[in-house]
Amino acid sequence: MAEGERQLREQHQAMIRDLGDRHTRIKQCGPDDAVFDEQYDQLVACAERLLEFERMLPARLAQPKRERADRVVKWSWRGQTAVAVALIAAVLALGHTAWWLVLLIPHLLGTLMGWSVTVTAERYREQRAIVIGLHVLCLLVVLVALGVISAWWIVAVLVGWVAVGAASVDVKSDLPRFVIARSWY
């Protein structure tokens, strides 16, 4: 267990113990005691802090993983941009036809657009999987452009780019329900 996770769990346990202690104190007081109202207010405030902490706990536990995924995703897109530039230079240096630029320049532009991908706490696992697909796709582009495999694989490259691009876009899931709901009127 990571140190940050351990601290969060210890803090959570301490808040639960504090709430239990306050509950025990309030049970020892009668409703007519002078300190009852103060103890009750403290109990409610402690419960509210615990509820807020528990609401934020999943995001706080996922934060280190999200930050790692953010670095991986950003550097993957940047690395693939460097590969695209090197591939354009290699194709031109090897004397391949300039028609390869029709594939390689959009590939370069696509990797440049990937620099703006934002890794969120909700999608960090998905974004990490997308960059794995990006690496496979870029390997395919390299193999096709250098003539290692048949040029017919360009179709797979195009399909791969559509898939990576579509998966990288953050689409609101409420849109289809809204469209369906509006069609009933």
Side-chain angles (χ1 to χ4, degrees):
M1 185 182 317
E3 187 63 31
E5 186 175 337
R6 184 182 345 270
Q7 289 173 347
L8 286 173
R9 294 198 187 281
E10 288 172 0
Q11 186 178 358
H12 184 249
Q13 291 300 318
M15 292 176 87
I16 290 173
R17 281 192 302 274
D18 184 36
L19 183 65
D21 293 343
R22 291 184 188 279
H23 182 256
T24 302
R25 277 186 251 146
I26 202 167
K27 282 176 54 177
Q28 293 171 352
C29 297
D32 298 331
D33 288 345
V35 294
F36 180 82
D37 289 338
E38 179 184 332
Q39 290 291 326
Y40 184 77
D41 290 342
Q42 289 177 0
L43 176 71
V44 170
C46 184
E48 287 173 352
R49 283 191 306 272
L50 178 62
L51 289 172
E52 179 62 22
F53 183 85
E54 287 179 344
R55 186 183 68 76
M56 296 298 294
L57 189 59
R60 291 176 70 185
L61 286 172
Q63 185 65 17
K65 294 175 186 173
R66 191 206 60 80
E67 288 171 355
R68 271 193 309 274
D70 185 48
R71 284 190 301 274
V72 166
V73 168
K74 283 183 181 183
W75 284 105
S76 291
W77 283 100
R78 291 173 182 166
Q80 292 306 327
T81 300
V83 169
V85 169
L87 189 57
I88 289 172
V91 165
L92 294 175
L94 292 174
H96 291 298
T97 178
W99 281 103
W100 283 111
L101 296 178
V102 172
L103 173 69
L104 297 178
I105 289 178
H107 176 73
L108 173 64
L109 294 175
T111 58
L112 284 171
M113 287 190 306
W115 285 31
S116 66
V117 170
T118 303
V119 178
T120 62
E122 298 83 26
R123 295 190 64 203
Y124 74 91
R125 287 186 183 111
E126 181 182 340
Q127 290 294 340
R128 203 171 44 206
I130 290 169
V131 295
I132 291 170
L134 172 71
H135 291 300
V136 171
L137 177 65
C138 289
L139 176 64
L140 188 60
V141 170
V142 168
L143 294 175
V144 170
L146 295 179
V148 176
I149 59 176
S150 170
W152 287 104
W153 283 91
I154 290 175
V155 174
V157 169
L158 296 175
V159 169
W161 266 113
V162 168
V164 167
S168 295
V169 175
D170 187 18
V171 179
K172 299 292 183 199
S173 61
D174 292 340
L175 181 62
R177 281 187 275 160
F178 174 75
V179 172
I180 292 169
R182 294 289 292 166
S183 67
W184 286 99
Y185 293 114

